[in-house]
Each structure stands twice: as structure tokens, then as C-alpha cells.
Amino acid sequence: MTEDDRLGRDWIVARMNSLGMSVVVDRIGNIFGVRPGLDPQLAPVMTGSHIDTVRSGGAYDGNLGVLAGLEVVATLDEAGIQTARSLVVAVFTNEEGARFAPDMMGSLVYVGGMDLDQALQTRAIDGEVLGQALQAIGYAGDAPLGLFRPDAFVELHIEQGPVLDMEGVKIGVVQNLQGISWQRVVIIGQSNHAGTTPMHLRHDSGYAASAIACFVRELARDMGGDQVATVGKVDLTPNLVNVIASRAELTVDLRNTDEALLKQAEVRLAEFLYKLSESEGVSIDSTSLARFEPVQFDTALADRIARHATLLGLSNRPMTSGAGHDAQMLARICPTAMIFVPSVKGISHNPAEFTEPDDLVAGANVLLATLYELAQRGN
Ligand code: GLV
Ligand code: MN
Ligand code: MN
């Protein structure tokens, strides 16, 4: 919802228009390009992803799924094919959630998992209000939420992890996606002189923030398996060399494929925060910014993707997604699955993010074959 986001959205809308698609923008700013099918009675097949990015992101995360969706439409146009079902290419608002939590917000609101007004009132980490930001870039649309009830949703995305690249496999067929727990932790201690305050008299918010970062690393190591844990953002006040920090605000990102284990990680963190507040004499408050249970994708749809990859001569393997995706929200309303392509060295949320052009094309071809087959089905 920045000026750059507007430029990206404008580019996509122009491309949809030039492909003869009708364009719909809903009340949370999701954009849908529609390519009509032969039978308006049949539910459409939907694909898409997001074009927003974390501030330090790369070019492929999200964009691949949207641009490949448009390329599928262009390819069908060139071949003179009109499918039985309509094809809808979706661009979901605020998938990243790094500025306005939670992540996958546009798709979450679309499927009825979050109240629209609550979403529009969300405040960014820089203070801006989401609804106003959406107005300012001209994408506060008027289409109702959940306008299309898809027959199926398929999202193509870069893996954002190292597995496909390391194994030399071309296509990941995503079976499931891990649960996500984001918390904001605010610590209030006492600001004091760094030189004169004896160590045992400190109520040091900076120290407490660092202790939390060390604890979650240790927690993930101790739990093992799929547990991951990150402190990605820390703000200290007053943030000066010779002043004990009075206030710290940090984020914790916990993820696991197993809901019971994710809950266990949350409980262990809460216990640690309690003990830390006692031992350091600081107050610690934590608020949930996002909480999503692990998601199982549709097995038949995943099998269909694997079959098309194999038919195209592309090596493929089942995968779990470590990242959150709009597909996990669409899975609440229709059969959903995802296609992954390799990320070189597994680098993502980093400007160095890269996928070989041939791998982008391979992923887009699997998307094309899968969408075409889905869109030709009757009821
Ligand atoms: C969002 O895309 C996330 O996985 O953090
Ligand atoms: Mn993404
Ligand atoms: Mn991302």
C-alpha cells in the first residue's frame, strides 16, 4: 500500500486489460482478472498470488504466481482456446503482513476469516492505517468479498527454501503448510546510566530482548523436528550507547507443521517471558499478531499437479511449505494446492532471491496444464 505497490498494481491491471480480461477490485483491494469460460454456470478456476513484498524482498516471491497466471491466459488466447470454466487470476492484498499484520490478510478477509473493518483499521508499524493507505493508492474497491467461489485454486510460487535446489528437483508439489504464530513483545524496564548503575540494580529491557532471542533459538534447537523460531525485529528506546534501554519492542515468529508442537512452543515461550520479567524486574506483555494452524492441501489436486509435472518430463517431489501463502486461506473454501520451483541456494526475503528462467517456465507450464485440465471439467 505504498506508491510502489500502486505502480505494480497499475501495471498488472493494464496487463489484464490488454489481455481482454475484466478487472474487479474488492473492498480489501484484492484484484481479480477474469477470462470468461464457455459455461457461466460453472464455478471458475482461480490462480494467483501477491505482488507486495517485504521491504528487503526479492523479485520472485508472489510475483511469479501472478505473472504466470497472466501468461497462462495469454497462452490460451494465442492457442484460440476458450475453456469451459472461467479462469480468474487473483492478486491478494498484503500477503506479507510485515508492515500491517497479519500476513495473508487479503486472502484471509476474502474467505471470511477476518472482519473487513478490523482489517481496514489495522495500523502499520509506521503508524499508517490500512484503509486510508488503500484509499490513497486508489485500490479501495467496491466489489463484495468472496465474489468468486472457485471450483479450485492453484498457486505457483518459488520454494523460498533450499530443498529443490539442493536435490536438483524441478517441481515441488506442496502437500501441506506449517502453522504460524507471530507475537509482538513489549518490555518496559528502567532507563538509567550505563556506567553508574550496578549490574544487580538494572531493569534492562535491552538485555531482556536479547535473552528472548537467545531463548527462542534454544527452544527450536531443543524441540528439533520442524520447529523454527525467529526474532526478526527489535526496537530499543532510547537506543543509545550509554543508556540502559527503558523499553524494547520485538517480534517472535514461531512455526511448526504440528499444531500440538506449535502450541507447546508458545507455552514454553510464555513461561520464559514470565520468569524473565520476574528475574529482571521488567514488565513483559505479548500480543498475537498472527496465528494460523497448519494446513493440509487437497490430495487429489496435488496428485494432478504431480501427474502434469511428470507428463512434462519434470522431476518432482512432495513438499511442505515453510512460508505462509494465500493458498492456505483459499484452502478453507475450495480444493487447493501449490506448485513450487527452486530458489537458488534457498535464498528468499532477500534481494538476492533468484530462480533460473528455465525453472520459472517449467513451473508456469505445470500451472498451465493443471489449470487447463481443471477449467475443461464439467460439474
Ligand atoms: C509470509 O509470506 C511468511 O511466510 O512470512
Ligand atoms: Mn509469497
Ligand atoms: Mn514473502
Side-chain angles (χ1 to χ4, degrees):
M1 275 145 286
T2 58
E3 183 57 15
D4 287 333
D5 187 24
R6 185 183 69 76
L7 291 171
R9 286 165 175 267
D10 288 354
W11 191 94
I12 293 288
V13 168
R15 178 76 182 138
M16 286 173 167
N17 284 326
S18 76
L19 288 167
M21 303 174 88
S22 49
V23 178
V24 176
V25 181
D26 74 12
R27 297 191 60 201
I28 192 70
N30 296 322
I31 303 167
F32 301 93
V34 185
R35 182 180 197 267
L38 289 164
D39 186 348
Q41 304 299 327
L42 295 175
V45 172
M46 191 184 277
T47 188
S49 193
H50 62 100
I51 64 165
D52 66 319
T53 175
V54 292
R55 194 164 48 203
S56 58
Y60 298 81
D61 176 359
N63 292 308
L64 172 61
V66 172
L67 296 180
L70 296 179
E71 189 59 22
V72 165
V73 168
T75 304
L76 293 173
D77 286 353
E78 282 159 23
I81 293 169
Q82 190 177 13
T83 51
R85 294 175 188 271
S86 302
L87 276 178
V88 178
V89 179
V91 182
F92 292 106
T93 292
N94 186 31
E95 190 273 350
E96 293 293 356
R99 184 169 172 238
F100 298 95
D103 47 352
M104 285 76 69
M105 187 192 272
S107 47
L108 179 65
V109 170
Y110 185 80
V111 301
M114 183 179 185
D115 179 62
L116 172 68
D117 289 328
Q118 188 194 343
L120 293 175
Q121 283 158 23
T122 309
R123 216 167 257 285
I125 52 174
D126 48 71
E128 192 165 12
V129 175
L130 189 142
Q132 287 160 15
L134 206 51
Q135 293 274 357
I137 62 164
Y139 280 89
D142 51 17
L145 296 161
L147 183 62
F148 308 97
R149 188 102 194 162
D151 179 60
F153 181 82
V154 183
E155 180 172 357
L156 170 63
H157 205 284
I158 56 166
E159 180 199 332
Q160 308 182 269
V163 176
L164 295 174
D165 189 46
M166 262 169 33
E167 295 185 357
V169 175
K170 291 297 172 192
I171 298 290
V173 182
V174 188
Q175 315 282 322
N176 61 332
L177 185 150
Q178 62 186 351
I180 303 177
S181 170
W182 283 0
Q183 297 178 38
R184 175 175 44 222
V185 180
V186 175
I187 306 164
I188 306 290
Q190 189 180 50
S191 168
N192 210 336
H193 196 292
T196 62
T197 314
M199 295 310 287
H200 70 284
L201 292 180
R202 295 179 182 218
H203 307 288
D204 186 343
S205 298
Y207 160 74
S210 317
I212 294 167
C214 295
F215 173 78
V216 302
R217 165 63 73 98
E218 193 48 45
L219 174 71
R221 220 174 54 102
D222 183 53
M223 291 181 68
D226 292 322
Q227 183 64 49
V228 289
T230 309
V231 170
K233 181 176 190 294
V234 181
D235 294 299
L236 298 182
T237 309
N239 210 21
L240 295 168
V241 62
N242 53 357
V243 185
I244 295 166
S246 59
R247 182 180 190 279
E249 183 174 326
L250 63 137
T251 57
V252 180
D253 175 320
L254 300 173
R255 304 192 194 202
N256 201 310
T257 47
D258 183 315
E259 174 63 17
L261 292 175
L262 184 56
K263 280 202 180 108
Q264 198 185 102
E266 292 174 316
V267 168
R268 285 176 67 176
L269 173 63
E271 285 167 359
F272 178 76
L273 295 183
Y274 179 72
K275 281 193 209 135
L276 180 64
S277 72
E278 295 278 296
S279 61
E280 190 60 17
V282 294
S283 77
I284 305 184
D285 271 320
S286 87
T287 343
S288 175
L289 291 176
R291 182 62 169 87
F292 302 118
E293 289 185 13
V295 172
Q296 199 64 42
F297 287 127
D298 187 75
T299 314
L301 189 48
D303 288 349
R304 193 185 287 274
I305 291 168
R307 183 165 52 79
H308 282 298
T310 303
L311 284 171
L312 287 163
L314 298 163
S315 52
N316 55 89
R317 78 189 301 284
M319 292 202 65
T320 294
S321 174
H325 295 291
D326 294 306
Q328 79 188 82
M329 300 310 168
L330 272 293
R332 297 186 186 187
I333 62 165
C334 66
T336 296
M338 295 187 71
I339 305 164
F340 275 178
V341 289
S343 292
V344 172
K345 296 193 168 77
I347 301 286
S348 187
H349 282 184
N350 179 328
E353 183 178 274
F354 184 67
T355 298
E356 295 290 349
D358 285 353
D359 292 341
L360 300 173
V361 171
N365 278 328
V366 176
L367 182 70
L368 169 65
T370 306
L371 292 178
Y372 175 69
E373 188 177 65
L374 291 169
Q376 292 295 56
R377 287 183 319 163
N379 259 335

